[in-house]
Amino acid sequence: MDMGTRTGRSWLRRGGVCLWALLAAGAAQAQEGRPWLDPAVPTAQRVELVLGRMTLDEKISLVHGNFGSVLRKTRPDDKRIGAGHVPGVPRLGIPDLYESDASLGVANGGTMRPGDVATALPASLATAASFDPAIAYEGGAMIGAEARAKGFNVLLAGGANLTRDPWNGRDFEYLGEDPWLTGVMAGAAIRGVQDNGIMSTLKHFALNAQESGRYVLDAQIAQGALRESDLLAFQIALERGQPDSVMCAYNKVNGDWSCENDWLLNQVLKRDWSFPGWVMSDWGGVHSTVKAALAGLDQESGQELDQEVYFGEPLQTAIGKGTVPEARLDDMVRRILGRLFHRGLVDRPAPDSPQPIDYAAHGLVARRAAEAGAVLLRNEGRVLPLSTALKRVVVIGGHADVGVLSGGGSSQVQAVSGSPLRMPIPNGPANLGFIKITYHGSSPLAAIKARLPGAQVTFLDGADPAAAAAAATGADAVLVFATQWRTEAIDLESLALPEGQDALIAAVAAANPRTTVVLETGGAVLMPWLGKVGAVLEAWYPGDQGGEAIARVLFGEVDAGGRLPLTFPAREEQAPRPQVPGLANVKAAAAEQAAKPRTPGATTVDITGGVKGFDVPYVEGADVGYRWYGRQGLKPLFPFGHGLSYSRFRHDGFTAQGGARPSVRFTVTNTGDRPGVDVPQVYAVVPGADGRPARRLVAFQRVELAPGQSVAVTLPIDPRLIARYDSGAAAWAVSGGPVPVVLARDAGDTGLTATLAMSALSLKP
Ligand code: BGC
């Protein structure tokens, strides 16, 4: 059954709304002189009708909105105040915009109001690791259904930045390093959200690839390279997901702030991609009135975080003076209203009072995503899957006795399973005191014990490596849970596991080679102990039912279905930048702030924390992640796409069809003795940014096969994935001729080869 569709449509049935009733109501509204409320009138006409009745004040009020945290102080009982709010125009029947963060679930803005829970999906990296758009869709549909039931109508979802740097604090919120995978998965997730009749963003546009200095840094990259990488991910997500809004990023791109960047907003997004929706700013991402308005920004969000409410009075003044034409304001409003009508939010508004939510069904959605995205990185001597006949099992570390780790920041969800641990960031900056290291209440230990009723299962917290090693000696199986916490606003300074966990794992593995390490990380991590342990399962932040999902994979109730959506480096120096750019500026500012006395009663917020601006040159250009490793001849710890199954698969019959509509065909056979998941990946080999050959993922397919079962797979290839973006000609250019393609298990695998005989193509941007 398609759970996503069922969840997505449930509001329609619950509301008991049917078309004739809407039409009848619309006709009545029309009689009252509000014809735009008639659903039978075409959307474009409805927009013009209502726009014609709006006063200048009403138009202005729709293009700037409040920061939720500020409003929550004045409206403490209004549960619909999430990350942001934009008042509607009640006299004309235009609803308020109630905005919630939603990368992994309906986020609670860090408030942790009692009982204000929501289903927490695993990290987006886990969703990406499933290589299954249906998993992404189902997750989006689940979040959308909960959001609607809670009265929200705009979800700040659809994070599609490429994970360019392995230490990015927000890597867990994104979908990996590849434009095709990111675009396909983000598009599916957005469709899932919007199929609930509510709106979603696609964010953060563009190149917000690190958190350190995100409010001040200038991302430097050639336009063509950006088109072939991050922008291509956004473009594919936009085509497939059709988000109602795009959120511009904090940082500058090539000298201009993203939210006043004419090239990004007017030329690429609105002209080249014909985006019909509206551009909203990130919270505190606006720096001007006239420049931003003329560059294509349509709505200022979280206005209290900007230095001025630029789209309030200053915009009104600019219109009065003619420095911003009123037609441009009309365009902003038209874009917002257009999507409101299109998405059905005027005819079928989100409910005013909370509706019941089927958390049990939604928990299963989260569990399925965690299972599908768990990546078996190593499995020497078939340490996994575990047998239920084991007699003595030792579980160590990672607070596995109480729950599973989650990532911090605006995406934080107060999980249905509870929050048994909420700890402050050790030595964290004062302004980020609201961010807590949070565990969801789904205990892996409890789930493991439930599968071993007759066994002795011991838990140690791992604080004492010698004691852990002693307990592990002679056990039938040892499971070490290792964690790496990441959060929005802070990057990692090291990819090593923190708090002595490497030493713990090394000590335990030395005592017992049947040691499995279960990683709960928000991205890549170094593994100096790798050769010593039996197995490694990357469970990411596994979400609301993470404990259960991990146990199901460990015991082989489901296959470990995930494949890495990003490269795990062998050493930090392998990354295109050997350390976080601008870290010195961030540290200097933090020291200065700490020394400064606090100004009592200060009203303006400086979200930059006083960090001085700096440039980040993206030297890898379009060759993000595995493309960089390939072109530099670097061998990572684990390549993009890597992941083992409990079964074995054969690929054969690989053929490629070129021309203007390229495609590939092949057969996959499960040659093992158990059902399993395979993710065949097709890479094209094209010249990289420096002319050396680099691989590009052009197609993938997740398949689940019974033992002995075969499936024939045909996959089309989007020619833009093998094209060069020619900035001079403003077109994608495929030169024509042979293009090698490889059917592989990961980005480093030799695989099977074939050749696409490509036609010369020039495709619109
Ligand atoms: C984040 C966005 C988020 C917004 C509202 C910003 O700091 O970058 O992703 O949607 O806050 O919470």
Side-chain angles (χ1 to χ4, degrees):
M1 176 185 49
D2 182 349
M3 252 305 295
T5 309
R6 189 166 69 94
T7 321
R9 302 275 181 233
S10 58
W11 56 270
L12 240 183
R13 288 204 300 273
R14 250 204 310 275
V17 184
C18 58
L19 194 60
W20 67 262
L22 278 176
L23 292 174
Q29 303 281 11
Q31 276 164 23
E32 287 164 27
R34 305 203 290 182
W36 58 87
L37 296 183
D38 182 350
V41 176
T43 297
Q45 208 177 322
R46 296 174 83 180
V47 172
E48 294 313 316
L49 284 166
V50 71
L51 193 63
R53 297 285 185 89
M54 288 173 80
T55 65
L56 182 61
D57 284 347
E58 284 168 342
K59 291 179 191 171
I60 293 280
S61 84
L62 258 194
V63 298
H64 65 97
N66 300 98
F67 178 36
S69 295
V70 172
L71 261 193
R72 267 199 298 269
K73 296 199 178 104
T74 49
R75 295 169 67 171
D77 296 329
D78 192 340
K79 295 247 170 52
R80 291 181 297 179
I81 303 298
H85 173 252
V86 182
V89 189
R91 119 186 140 83
L92 302 174
I94 303 303
D96 292 21
L97 301 185
Y98 290 102
E99 301 167 326
S100 174
D101 275 301
S103 291
L104 314 174
V106 181
N108 317 86
T111 57
M112 297 286 163
R113 285 176 290 216
D116 198 2
V117 296
T119 303
L121 283 181
S124 300
L125 280 180
T127 296
S130 75
F131 278 71
D132 186 353
I135 289 281
Y137 178 88
E138 187 174 91
M142 182 281 286
I143 300 176
E146 290 196 7
R148 171 169 261 277
K150 289 168 184 282
F152 293 106
N153 51 19
V154 182
L155 289 193
L156 313 175
N161 296 94
L162 296 187
T163 57
R164 280 181 176 258
D165 283 308
W167 45 71
N168 181 1
R170 273 186 118 166
D171 274 356
F172 74 94
E173 274 189 70
Y174 298 134
L175 295 156
E177 64 195 23
D178 181 74
W180 176 241
L181 179 64
T182 292
V184 167
M185 300 299 269
I190 291 166
R191 260 195 310 110
V193 168
Q194 294 194 155
D195 278 356
N196 287 279
I198 58 178
M199 312 198 272
S200 176
T201 57
L202 171 66
K203 70 185 186 182
H204 311 84
F205 194 66
L207 216 48
N208 182 178
Q210 69 173 56
E211 292 298 283
S212 305
R214 63 176 171 164
Y215 304 112
V216 295
L217 71 83
D218 187 353
Q220 303 275 335
I221 191 167
Q223 288 184 355
L226 191 53
R227 294 261 197 179
E228 291 171 26
S229 53
D230 295 60
L231 292 187
L232 183 53
F234 277 103
Q235 187 174 10
I236 293 164
L238 198 94
E239 290 163 356
R240 296 181 157 237
Q242 308 201 354
D244 290 319
S245 182
V246 166
M247 183 192 292
C248 48
Y250 283 127
N251 51 285
K252 292 181 182 174
V253 174
N254 294 334
D256 274 331
W257 297 109
S258 299
C259 291
E260 54 179 50
N261 194 312
D262 179 74
W263 179 69
L264 274 180
L265 306 182
N266 277 341
Q267 298 182 43
V268 175
L269 180 66
K270 292 181 174 177
R271 183 196 64 200
D272 293 348
W273 300 350
S274 310
F275 175 58
W278 86 100
V279 177
M280 70 164 77
S281 74
D282 201 342
W283 273 230
V286 186
H287 298 267
S288 64
T289 300
V290 175
K291 184 170 180 191
L294 297 182
L297 178 68
D298 299 307
Q299 191 180 57
E300 177 183 18
S301 319
Q303 60 194 25
E304 292 83 358
L305 295 177
D306 288 324
Q307 291 307 302
E308 279 179 58
V309 181
Y310 293 105
F311 276 23
E313 260 178 51
L315 182 57
Q316 198 146 0
T317 308
I319 284 164
K321 285 200 215 149
T323 45
V324 174
E326 189 162 356
R328 172 69 189 108
L329 176 64
D330 285 350
D331 175 42
M332 296 175 190
V333 174
R334 197 176 274 124
R335 286 171 174 274
I336 299 167
L337 292 178
R339 301 324 286 174
L340 267 169
F341 281 112
H342 172 80
R343 201 52 61 198
L345 277 161
V346 176
D347 306 327
R348 298 176 298 274
D352 284 332
S353 54
Q355 301 297 301
I357 292 173
D358 187 349
Y359 285 123
H362 291 181
L364 289 180
V365 172
R367 198 192 78 193
R368 275 198 290 274
E371 291 166 5
V375 185
L376 184 58
L377 294 173
R378 173 182 171 88
N379 194 15
E380 280 304 297
R382 292 196 156 214
V383 168
L384 295 180
L386 300 175
S387 149
T388 49
L390 300 176
K391 289 288 167 262
R392 193 160 85 76
V393 173
V394 181
V395 179
I396 300 164
H399 300 286
D401 53 334
V402 296
V404 289
L405 187 58
S406 62
S410 57
S411 69
Q412 181 76 60
V413 175
Q414 187 173 358
V416 174
S417 58
S419 312
L421 275 178
R422 292 189 70 226
M423 303 178 287
I425 312 172
N427 309 316
N431 63 334
L432 298 180
F434 67 97
I435 298 180
K436 300 281 190 289
I437 303 172
T438 304
Y439 282 72
H440 298 328
S442 174
S443 156
L445 178 65
I448 290 163
K449 279 186 169 168
R451 286 163 172 80
L452 297 168
Q456 182 198 4
V457 182
T458 320
F459 177 74
L460 289 94
D461 67 7
D464 179 350
T473 307
D476 299 335
V478 184
L479 301 161
V480 185
F481 284 79
T483 58
Q484 173 215 52
W485 184 69
R486 296 192 187 217
T487 181
E488 175 179 346
I490 305 174
D491 292 321
L492 295 179
E493 282 182 47
S494 162
L495 295 181
L497 284 171
E499 293 161 2
Q501 294 179 95
D502 282 337
L504 171 70
I505 296 169
V508 171
N512 192 328
R514 297 191 69 77
T515 293
T516 295
V517 177
V518 179
L519 292 168
E520 292 173 21
T521 76
V525 67
L526 302 176
M527 301 178 210
W529 34 260
L530 183 65
K532 307 275 168 26
V533 302
V536 182
L537 179 69
E538 174 56 87
W540 314 105
Y541 303 143
D544 225 323
Q545 299 215 356
E548 188 65 15
I550 288 171
R552 279 168 56 81
V553 176
L554 288 176
F555 284 87
E557 290 162 32
V558 284
D559 198 9
R563 302 294 184 265
L564 289 182
L566 76 185
T567 309
F568 276 36
R571 296 179 310 281
E572 275 149 350
E573 310 80 68
Q574 289 185 330
R577 285 156 291 288
Q579 59 169 26
V580 184
L583 203 56
N585 300 30
V586 174
K587 290 198 161 171
E592 208 173 293
Q593 299 273 315
K596 243 199 240 161
R598 285 177 76 88
T599 328
T603 50
T604 53
V605 203
D606 177 10
I607 54 171
T608 69
V611 181
K612 302 240 165 5
F614 55 92
D615 291 352
V616 183
Y618 283 99
V619 292
E620 71 279 31
D623 295 335
V624 183
Y626 66 88
R627 300 180 181 177
W628 165 261
Y629 283 78
R631 129 184 171 193
Q632 301 295 109
L634 295 164
K635 192 168 166 19
L637 188 62
F638 292 113
F640 172 91
H642 171 71
L644 306 171
S645 159
Y646 291 143
S647 195
R648 287 186 308 276
F649 296 87
R650 188 181 63 230
H651 299 165
D652 51 22
F654 183 44
T655 57
Q657 175 81 45
R661 293 168 172 269
S663 65
V664 286
R665 300 180 77 140
F666 52 89
T667 304
V668 187
T669 307
N670 183 345
T671 57
D673 53 8
R674 41 190 307 144
V677 173
D678 190 31
V679 183
Q681 302 151 39
V682 180
Y683 296 88
V685 185
V686 295
D690 65 351
R692 279 187 277 177
R695 284 186 175 191
R696 293 180 171 201
L697 181 72
V698 292
F700 61 84
Q701 177 76 51
R702 181 189 171 96
V703 294
E704 284 195 51
L705 296 175
Q709 194 186 354
S710 276
V711 65
V713 180
T714 303
L715 298 172
I717 294 174
D718 186 325
R720 291 173 296 186
L721 298 169
I722 49 179
R724 260 290 77 101
Y725 188 83
D726 181 344
S727 295
W732 293 98
V734 177
S735 40
V739 175
V741 278
V742 185
L743 171 61
R745 292 168 205 276
D746 60 51
D749 177 24
T750 335
L752 303 175
T753 49
T755 303
L756 287 171
M758 286 302 300
S759 310
L761 301 171
S762 173
L763 305 163
K764 76 175 193 60

